[in-house]
Coordinates of all heavy atoms in Angstrom, one line a residue:
V174 N 264.8 175.9 72.7 CA 263.7 176.1 73.6 C 262.4 175.9 72.8 O 261.5 175.2 73.3 CB 263.7 177.6 74.1 CG1 262.4 177.9 74.8 CG2 264.8 177.8 75.1
S175 N 262.3 176.4 71.6 CA 261.1 176.1 70.8 C 260.8 174.7 70.5 O 259.7 174.2 70.7 CB 261.2 176.9 69.4 OG 261.4 178.3 69.6
A176 N 261.9 173.9 70.2 CA 261.7 172.5 69.9 C 261.4 171.8 71.2 O 260.5 170.9 71.2 CB 263.0 172.0 69.4
S177 N 262.0 172.2 72.3 CA 261.7 171.6 73.6 C 260.2 171.8 74.0 O 259.6 170.9 74.5 CB 262.6 172.1 74.7 OG 262.4 171.5 75.9
V178 N 259.7 173.0 73.8 CA 258.3 173.3 74.2 C 257.3 172.6 73.3 O 256.4 172.0 73.7 CB 258.1 174.9 74.1 CG1 256.6 175.2 74.3 CG2 258.9 175.6 75.2
I179 N 257.6 172.7 72.0 CA 256.7 172.1 71.0 C 256.6 170.6 71.1 O 255.5 170.0 71.0 CB 257.1 172.5 69.6 CG1 256.9 174.0 69.4 CG2 256.3 171.7 68.5 CD1 257.5 174.6 68.1
F180 N 257.8 169.9 71.2 CA 257.8 168.4 71.3 C 257.9 167.9 72.7 O 257.9 166.6 72.8 CB 259.0 167.9 70.4 CG 259.0 168.4 69.0 CD1 259.9 169.3 68.5 CD2 258.0 167.8 68.1 CE1 259.8 169.7 67.2 CE2 258.0 168.2 66.8 CZ 258.9 169.2 66.3
S181 N 257.9 168.8 73.7 CA 258.0 168.3 75.1 C 259.1 167.4 75.4 O 259.0 166.3 76.0 CB 256.7 167.6 75.5 OG 255.6 168.6 75.4
I182 N 260.3 167.8 74.9 CA 261.5 167.0 75.1 C 262.5 167.8 75.8 O 263.2 168.7 75.2 CB 262.2 166.5 73.7 CG1 261.1 165.8 72.9 CG2 263.4 165.6 74.0 CD1 261.6 165.4 71.5
P183 N 262.7 167.6 77.1 CA 263.5 168.5 78.0 C 265.0 168.6 77.6 O 265.6 169.6 77.7 CB 263.3 167.9 79.4 CG 262.0 167.2 79.3 CD 261.9 166.6 77.9
W184 N 265.5 167.4 77.1 CA 266.9 167.4 76.8 C 267.3 168.3 75.6 O 268.5 168.6 75.4 CB 267.5 166.0 76.6 CG 266.8 165.2 75.5 CD1 265.8 164.3 75.7 CD2 267.1 165.2 74.1 NE1 265.4 163.7 74.5 CE2 266.3 164.3 73.5 CE3 268.0 165.9 73.3 CZ2 266.3 164.0 72.1 CZ3 268.1 165.6 72.0 CH2 267.2 164.7 71.4
L185 N 266.4 168.7 74.8 CA 266.7 169.6 73.6 C 267.1 170.9 74.2 O 268.0 171.6 73.6 CB 265.4 169.7 72.7 CG 265.1 168.6 71.8 CD1 263.8 168.8 71.1 CD2 266.2 168.3 70.8
D186 N 266.5 171.4 75.3 CA 266.9 172.6 75.9 C 268.4 172.6 76.4 O 269.1 173.5 76.1 CB 266.0 172.9 77.1 CG 266.2 174.3 77.7 OD1 266.1 175.3 77.0 OD2 266.6 174.3 78.9
A187 N 268.8 171.5 77.0 CA 270.2 171.3 77.4 C 271.1 171.2 76.3 O 272.2 171.7 76.3 CB 270.3 170.1 78.3
L188 N 270.6 170.5 75.2 CA 271.5 170.4 74.0 C 271.7 171.8 73.4 O 272.8 172.1 72.9 CB 270.8 169.5 73.0 CG 271.7 168.8 71.9 CD1 272.6 167.9 72.7 CD2 270.8 168.0 71.0
A189 N 270.7 172.6 73.4 CA 270.9 174.0 72.9 C 271.9 174.8 73.7 O 272.7 175.5 73.2 CB 269.5 174.7 72.9
A190 N 271.9 174.5 75.0 CA 272.9 175.2 75.9 C 274.3 174.8 75.5 O 275.2 175.6 75.5 CB 272.6 174.9 77.3
I191 N 274.5 173.5 75.2 CA 275.8 173.0 74.8 C 276.3 173.6 73.4 O 277.4 174.0 73.3 CB 275.9 171.5 74.7 CG1 275.7 170.9 76.0 CG2 277.2 171.0 74.0 CD1 275.6 169.3 76.0
A192 N 275.3 173.7 72.5 CA 275.6 174.4 71.2 C 276.0 175.8 71.4 O 277.0 176.3 70.8 CB 274.4 174.3 70.3
V193 N 275.4 176.5 72.3 CA 275.7 177.9 72.7 C 277.2 177.9 73.2 O 278.0 178.8 72.8 CB 274.8 178.4 73.8 CG1 275.3 179.8 74.3 CG2 273.4 178.7 73.2
A194 N 277.5 177.0 74.1 CA 278.8 177.0 74.7 C 279.9 176.8 73.7 O 281.0 177.4 73.8 CB 278.8 175.8 75.8
V195 N 279.7 175.9 72.7 CA 280.7 175.6 71.7 C 280.9 176.9 70.9 O 282.1 177.2 70.6 CB 280.3 174.4 70.8 CG1 281.2 174.3 69.6 CG2 280.2 173.1 71.6
M196 N 279.9 177.5 70.5 CA 280.0 178.7 69.7 C 280.7 179.8 70.4 O 281.6 180.5 69.9 CB 278.6 179.2 69.2 CG 278.6 180.5 68.4 SD 279.5 180.2 66.8 CE 278.5 179.0 66.0
I197 N 280.4 180.0 71.7 CA 281.0 181.0 72.5 C 282.5 180.8 72.6 O 283.4 181.7 72.5 CB 280.4 181.1 73.9 CG1 278.9 181.6 73.8 CG2 281.2 182.0 74.8 CD1 278.2 181.5 75.1
F198 N 282.9 179.5 72.9 CA 284.3 179.1 73.1 C 285.1 179.4 71.8 O 286.2 179.9 71.8 CB 284.4 177.7 73.5 CG 285.8 177.2 73.8 CD1 286.3 177.4 75.0 CD2 286.6 176.6 72.8 CE1 287.7 177.1 75.3 CE2 287.9 176.3 73.1 CZ 288.4 176.5 74.3
Y199 N 284.4 179.1 70.6 CA 285.1 179.3 69.3 C 285.4 180.7 69.1 O 286.5 181.1 68.7 CB 284.2 178.7 68.2 CG 284.7 179.1 66.8 CD1 285.8 178.5 66.2 CD2 284.1 180.2 66.1 CE1 286.3 178.9 65.0 CE2 284.5 180.6 64.9 CZ 285.6 179.9 64.3 OH 286.1 180.3 63.1
M200 N 284.4 181.6 69.4 CA 284.6 183.0 69.2 C 285.7 183.6 70.1 O 286.5 184.4 69.7 CB 283.3 183.8 69.5 CG 282.2 183.5 68.5 SD 282.5 184.3 66.9 CE 280.9 184.0 66.1
G201 N 285.8 183.1 71.3 CA 286.8 183.5 72.2 C 288.2 183.1 71.8 O 289.1 183.9 71.8
A202 N 288.3 181.9 71.3 CA 289.6 181.4 70.8 C 290.1 182.2 69.6 O 291.3 182.5 69.5 CB 289.5 179.9 70.5
K203 N 289.2 182.5 68.7 CA 289.5 183.3 67.6 C 290.0 184.7 67.9 O 291.0 185.2 67.4 CB 288.3 183.4 66.6 CG 288.7 184.0 65.2 CD 287.5 184.0 64.3 CE 287.9 184.5 62.9 NZ 288.7 185.8 62.9
L204 N 289.4 185.3 68.9 CA 289.8 186.6 69.3 C 291.2 186.6 69.9 O 292.1 187.4 69.7 CB 288.9 187.2 70.4 CG 287.5 187.8 69.9 CD1 286.7 188.3 71.1 CD2 287.7 188.9 68.9
I205 N 291.5 185.5 70.8 CA 292.8 185.4 71.4 C 293.9 185.1 70.3 O 295.0 185.7 70.4 CB 292.8 184.2 72.4 CG1 291.8 184.5 73.5 CG2 294.2 183.9 72.9 CD1 291.6 183.3 74.5
L206 N 293.6 184.3 69.4 CA 294.6 184.0 68.3 C 294.9 185.2 67.5 O 296.1 185.5 67.2 CB 294.0 182.9 67.4 CG 295.0 182.4 66.3 CD1 296.3 181.8 66.9 CD2 294.3 181.4 65.4
D207 N 293.9 185.9 67.0 CA 294.1 187.1 66.2 C 294.9 188.2 67.0 O 295.8 188.8 66.4 CB 292.8 187.8 65.8 CG 292.1 186.9 64.8 OD1 292.7 186.0 64.2 OD2 290.9 187.1 64.5
S208 N 294.6 188.4 68.3 CA 295.3 189.4 69.1 C 296.8 188.9 69.3 O 297.7 189.7 69.4 CB 294.6 189.6 70.4 OG 293.3 190.1 70.2
A209 N 297.0 187.6 69.6 CA 298.3 187.1 69.8 C 299.2 187.3 68.6 O 300.4 187.6 68.7 CB 298.2 185.6 70.1
M210 N 298.6 187.2 67.4 CA 299.4 187.4 66.2 C 299.8 188.9 66.1 O 301.0 189.1 65.7 CB 298.5 187.1 64.9 CG 298.2 185.6 64.7 SD 299.6 184.6 64.4 CE 299.9 183.9 66.0
E211 N 299.0 189.8 66.6 CA 299.4 191.2 66.6 C 300.5 191.4 67.6 O 301.4 192.2 67.4 CB 298.2 192.0 66.9 CG 298.5 193.5 66.9 CD 297.2 194.4 67.1 OE1 296.1 194.0 66.6 OE2 297.4 195.5 67.7
L212 N 300.3 190.8 68.8 CA 301.3 191.0 69.9 C 302.7 190.5 69.6 O 303.7 191.0 70.1 CB 300.8 190.4 71.2 CG 299.6 191.1 71.9 CD1 299.1 190.3 73.0 CD2 300.0 192.5 72.3
V213 N 302.8 189.5 68.7 CA 304.1 189.0 68.3 C 304.6 189.6 67.0 O 305.4 189.1 66.3 CB 304.1 187.4 68.2 CG1 303.8 186.8 69.6 CG2 303.1 186.9 67.2
D214 N 303.9 190.8 66.6 CA 304.4 191.5 65.5 C 304.3 190.8 64.2 O 305.2 190.8 63.3 CB 305.8 192.1 65.7 CG 305.8 193.2 66.7 OD1 304.8 193.8 66.9 OD2 306.9 193.4 67.3
T215 N 303.2 190.1 63.9 CA 302.9 189.4 62.7 C 302.8 190.4 61.6 O 302.1 191.5 61.8 CB 301.7 188.5 62.8 OG1 301.8 187.6 63.8 CG2 301.4 187.8 61.5
A216 N 303.3 190.1 60.4 CA 303.3 191.1 59.3 C 301.9 191.3 58.8 O 301.0 190.4 59.0 CB 304.2 190.6 58.1
W217 N 301.6 192.4 58.1 CA 300.4 192.7 57.5 C 300.1 191.7 56.4 O 301.0 191.0 55.9 CB 300.4 194.2 57.0 CG 299.0 194.8 57.0 CD1 297.9 194.4 57.6 CD2 298.6 196.0 56.2 NE1 296.8 195.3 57.4 CE2 297.3 196.2 56.5 CE3 299.3 196.8 55.4 CZ2 296.6 197.3 55.9 CZ3 298.6 197.9 54.8 CH2 297.3 198.1 55.1
E218 N 298.9 191.7 55.8 CA 298.6 190.8 54.7 C 299.6 190.9 53.5 O 300.0 192.1 53.2 CB 297.2 191.0 54.2 CG 296.1 190.6 55.2 CD 295.7 191.8 56.0 OE1 296.5 192.7 56.2 OE2 294.5 191.8 56.5
S219 N 300.1 189.8 53.0 CA 301.1 189.8 51.9 C 300.7 190.6 50.7 O 301.5 191.3 50.1 CB 301.4 188.4 51.5 OG 300.3 187.7 51.0
D220 N 299.4 190.6 50.4 CA 299.0 191.4 49.2 C 299.1 192.9 49.4 O 299.4 193.7 48.5 CB 297.5 191.0 48.8 CG 296.5 191.3 49.9 OD1 296.9 191.0 51.1 OD2 295.4 191.6 49.6
K221 N 298.8 193.3 50.7 CA 299.0 194.7 51.1 C 300.5 195.1 51.0 O 300.8 196.2 50.6 CB 298.5 194.9 52.5 CG 297.0 194.6 52.7 CD 296.1 195.7 52.1 CE 294.7 195.5 52.4 NZ 293.8 196.5 51.8
V222 N 301.4 194.2 51.4 CA 302.8 194.5 51.4 C 303.3 194.7 50.0 O 304.0 195.6 49.7 CB 303.6 193.4 52.1 CG1 305.1 193.6 51.9 CG2 303.2 193.4 53.6
E223 N 302.8 193.8 49.1 CA 303.2 193.9 47.7 C 302.7 195.2 47.1 O 303.3 195.8 46.2 CB 302.7 192.7 46.9 CG 303.4 191.4 47.2 CD 304.9 191.5 46.8 OE1 305.2 192.1 45.7 OE2 305.8 191.1 47.6
E224 N 301.5 195.6 47.5 CA 300.9 196.8 47.0 C 301.7 198.0 47.4 O 301.9 198.9 46.6 CB 299.4 196.9 47.5 CG 298.6 198.0 46.9 CD 297.2 198.1 47.5 OE1 296.7 197.1 48.0 OE2 296.6 199.2 47.4
M225 N 302.2 198.0 48.6 CA 303.0 199.1 49.1 C 304.3 199.1 48.3 O 304.8 200.2 48.0 CB 303.3 198.9 50.6 CG 302.1 199.3 51.5 SD 302.5 199.5 53.2 CE 302.6 197.8 53.6
L226 N 305.0 198.0 48.1 CA 306.2 198.0 47.4 C 306.1 198.5 46.0 O 306.9 199.3 45.5 CB 306.8 196.5 47.4 CG 307.6 196.1 48.6 CD1 307.9 194.6 48.4 CD2 308.9 196.9 48.7
T227 N 305.0 198.1 45.3 CA 304.7 198.6 44.0 C 304.6 200.1 44.0 O 305.1 200.8 43.1 CB 303.5 197.9 43.4 OG1 303.6 196.5 43.4 CG2 303.2 198.4 42.0
L228 N 303.8 200.6 44.9 CA 303.6 202.0 45.0 C 304.9 202.8 45.3 O 305.2 203.8 44.6 CB 302.7 202.3 46.2 CG 302.4 203.8 46.6 CD1 301.6 204.5 45.5 CD2 301.7 203.9 47.9
I229 N 305.7 202.3 46.2 CA 307.0 203.0 46.5 C 307.9 203.0 45.3 O 308.5 204.0 45.0 CB 307.7 202.2 47.7 CG1 306.9 202.4 48.9 CG2 309.1 202.8 47.9 CD1 307.4 201.5 50.1
R230 N 308.0 201.8 44.6 CA 309.0 201.8 43.4 C 308.5 202.6 42.3 O 309.3 202.9 41.4 CB 309.0 200.3 43.0 CG 309.8 199.4 43.9 CD 309.7 197.9 43.7 NE 310.5 197.2 44.6 CZ 310.3 195.9 44.9 NH1 309.2 195.2 44.3 NH2 311.0 195.2 45.7
G231 N 307.2 203.1 42.3 CA 306.7 203.9 41.2 C 306.9 205.4 41.5 O 306.6 206.2 40.7
I232 N 307.4 205.7 42.7 CA 307.5 207.1 43.1 C 308.8 207.7 42.4 O 309.9 207.1 42.5 CB 307.6 207.3 44.6 CG1 306.2 206.9 45.2 CG2 307.9 208.7 45.0 CD1 306.2 206.8 46.7
S233 N 308.7 208.9 41.9 CA 309.8 209.6 41.2 C 311.0 209.7 42.2 O 310.9 210.2 43.3 CB 309.4 210.9 40.7 OG 310.5 211.6 40.1
G234 N 312.2 209.3 41.7 CA 313.4 209.4 42.5 C 313.8 208.2 43.2 O 314.9 208.0 43.7
V235 N 312.9 207.2 43.3 CA 313.2 205.9 44.0 C 313.7 204.9 43.0 O 313.1 204.6 42.0 CB 311.9 205.3 44.7 CG1 312.2 203.9 45.3 CG2 311.4 206.2 45.8
Q236 N 315.0 204.5 43.2 CA 315.6 203.5 42.3 C 315.2 202.1 42.6 O 315.0 201.3 41.7 CB 317.1 203.7 42.3 CG 317.6 205.0 41.7 CD 319.1 205.0 41.5 OE1 319.8 204.3 42.1 NE2 319.5 205.9 40.6
S237 N 315.1 201.8 43.9 CA 314.6 200.5 44.3 C 314.1 200.5 45.8 O 314.4 201.5 46.5 CB 315.7 199.4 44.2 OG 316.7 199.7 45.2
A238 N 313.4 199.5 46.2 CA 312.9 199.4 47.6 C 312.9 198.0 48.0 O 312.5 197.1 47.3 CB 311.5 200.0 47.7
H239 N 313.4 197.8 49.2 CA 313.4 196.4 49.7 C 313.4 196.5 51.3 O 313.3 197.5 51.9 CB 314.7 195.6 49.3 CG 315.9 196.3 49.5 ND1 316.5 197.3 48.8 CD2 316.8 196.2 50.6 CE1 317.6 197.7 49.3 NE2 317.9 197.1 50.4
M240 N 313.5 195.3 51.9 CA 313.5 195.2 53.4 C 312.2 195.9 54.0 O 312.3 196.5 55.0 CB 314.8 195.8 54.0 CG 316.0 195.0 53.7 SD 317.5 195.8 54.4 CE 317.1 195.7 56.2
L241 N 311.1 195.8 53.3 CA 309.9 196.4 53.8 C 309.3 195.4 54.9 O 309.0 194.3 54.7 CB 308.8 196.5 52.7 CG 307.6 197.4 53.0 CD1 307.1 198.1 51.8 CD2 306.5 196.6 53.7
R242 N 309.2 196.0 56.1 CA 308.6 195.2 57.2 C 307.4 195.9 57.8 O 307.4 197.2 57.9 CB 309.7 195.1 58.3 CG 311.0 194.4 57.9 CD 312.0 194.3 59.0 NE 312.5 195.7 59.3 CZ 313.3 196.0 60.3 NH1 313.8 195.0 61.0 NH2 313.7 197.2 60.5
T243 N 306.4 195.2 58.1 CA 305.2 195.7 58.6 C 304.8 195.0 59.9 O 305.1 193.9 60.1 CB 304.0 195.6 57.6 OG1 303.8 194.2 57.4 CG2 304.3 196.3 56.3
R244 N 304.0 195.7 60.8 CA 303.4 195.1 62.0 C 302.2 195.9 62.4 O 302.2 197.1 62.2 CB 304.4 195.0 63.1 CG 305.1 196.3 63.5 CD 306.3 196.0 64.4 NE 307.0 197.2 64.7 CZ 307.0 197.9 65.8 NH1 306.3 197.4 66.8 NH2 307.8 199.0 66.0
K245 N 301.2 195.2 62.9 CA 300.0 195.9 63.3 C 300.1 196.4 64.8 O 300.7 195.7 65.6 CB 298.8 195.0 63.2 CG 298.4 194.7 61.8 CD 297.4 195.8 61.3 CE 296.0 195.5 61.7 NZ 295.3 196.5 62.5
M246 N 299.5 197.6 65.0 CA 299.3 198.0 66.4 C 297.9 198.7 66.5 O 297.8 199.8 66.1 CB 300.4 199.0 66.8 CG 300.4 199.4 68.3 SD 301.8 200.4 68.8 CE 301.2 202.0 68.2
S247 N 297.0 197.8 67.0 CA 295.6 198.3 67.0 C 295.1 198.7 65.6 O 295.1 197.9 64.7 CB 295.4 199.4 68.1 OG 294.1 199.8 68.2
A248 N 294.7 200.0 65.5 CA 294.2 200.5 64.2 C 295.3 200.9 63.3 O 295.0 201.3 62.1 CB 293.2 201.6 64.5
N249 N 296.6 200.8 63.7 CA 297.7 201.3 62.9 C 298.5 200.2 62.3 O 298.5 199.1 62.8 CB 298.6 202.2 63.7 CG 297.9 203.4 64.3 OD1 297.1 204.1 63.6 ND2 298.1 203.7 65.6
V250 N 299.2 200.5 61.2 CA 300.2 199.6 60.6 C 301.5 200.3 60.6 O 301.6 201.4 60.1 CB 299.8 199.2 59.2 CG1 300.9 198.3 58.6 CG2 298.5 198.5 59.1
L251 N 302.5 199.8 61.3 CA 303.8 200.4 61.4 C 304.7 199.8 60.3 O 304.7 198.6 60.1 CB 304.5 200.2 62.7 CG 303.6 200.6 64.0 CD1 304.4 200.4 65.3 CD2 303.2 202.1 63.8
V252 N 305.3 200.7 59.5 CA 306.1 200.2 58.3 C 307.5 200.7 58.4 O 307.8 201.9 58.7 CB 305.4 200.8 57.0 CG1 306.2 200.3 55.8 CG2 304.0 200.4 57.0
D253 N 308.5 199.8 58.1 CA 309.9 200.2 57.9 C 310.2 199.7 56.5 O 309.9 198.6 56.1 CB 310.8 199.4 58.9 CG 310.5 199.8 60.3 OD1 310.5 201.0 60.6 OD2 310.3 198.8 61.1
V254 N 310.9 200.6 55.7 CA 311.4 200.2 54.4 C 312.7 200.9 54.0 O 312.9 202.0 54.4 CB 310.3 200.6 53.3 CG1 310.0 202.1 53.3 CG2 310.6 200.0 52.0
H255 N 313.5 200.1 53.3 CA 314.8 200.7 52.9 C 314.7 201.1 51.4 O 314.4 200.2 50.5 CB 315.9 199.6 53.0 CG 317.2 200.1 52.6 ND1 318.3 199.2 52.4 CD2 317.7 201.3 52.4 CE1 319.4 199.9 52.1 NE2 319.1 201.2 52.1
I256 N 314.8 202.4 51.1 CA 314.7 202.8 49.7 C 316.1 203.3 49.2 O 316.9 203.8 50.0 CB 313.7 203.9 49.5 CG1 314.0 205.2 50.3 CG2 312.3 203.5 49.9 CD1 313.2 206.4 50.0
E257 N 316.4 203.1 47.9 CA 317.6 203.5 47.3 C 317.4 204.6 46.3 O 316.4 204.6 45.6 CB 318.3 202.3 46.7 CG 318.8 201.3 47.6 CD 319.6 200.1 46.9 OE1 319.7 200.2 45.7 OE2 320.0 199.2 47.6
V258 N 318.2 205.7 46.4 CA 318.1 206.8 45.5 C 319.4 206.9 44.8 O 320.4 206.3 45.1 CB 317.7 208.1 46.3 CG1 316.4 207.9 46.9 CG2 318.8 208.4 47.3
S259 N 319.5 207.8 43.8 CA 320.7 208.1 43.1 C 321.8 208.6 44.0 O 321.6 209.4 44.9 CB 320.4 209.1 42.0 OG 321.7 209.6 41.4

Side-chain angles (χ1 to χ4, degrees):
V174 169
S175 300
S177 182
V178 171
I179 294 170
F180 300 110
S181 298
I182 306 176
W184 58 263
L185 284 175
D186 186 62
L188 204 62
I191 293 176
V193 169
V195 172
M196 181 59 65
I197 293 170
F198 185 84
Y199 168 76
M200 293 288 187
K203 189 175 187 307
L204 285 179
I205 293 170
L206 181 62
D207 290 347
S208 297
M210 291 297 99
E211 182 177 325
L212 288 173
V213 297
D214 289 337
T215 302
W217 208 19
E218 292 93 334
S219 57
D220 59 325
K221 299 284 188 183
V222 173
E223 285 302 318
E224 189 179 336
M225 282 192 286
L226 274 173
T227 301
L228 175 69
I229 294 169
R230 288 166 178 161
I232 294 173
S233 175
V235 175
Q236 291 191 340
S237 69
H239 55 278
M240 291 178 64
L241 191 151
R242 297 177 298 175
T243 61
R244 56 195 172 106
K245 286 276 276 121
M246 188 172 78
S247 185
N249 301 315
V250 178
L251 305 184
V252 183
D253 298 308
V254 62
H255 183 194
I256 61 171
E257 293 184 358
V258 298
S259 170

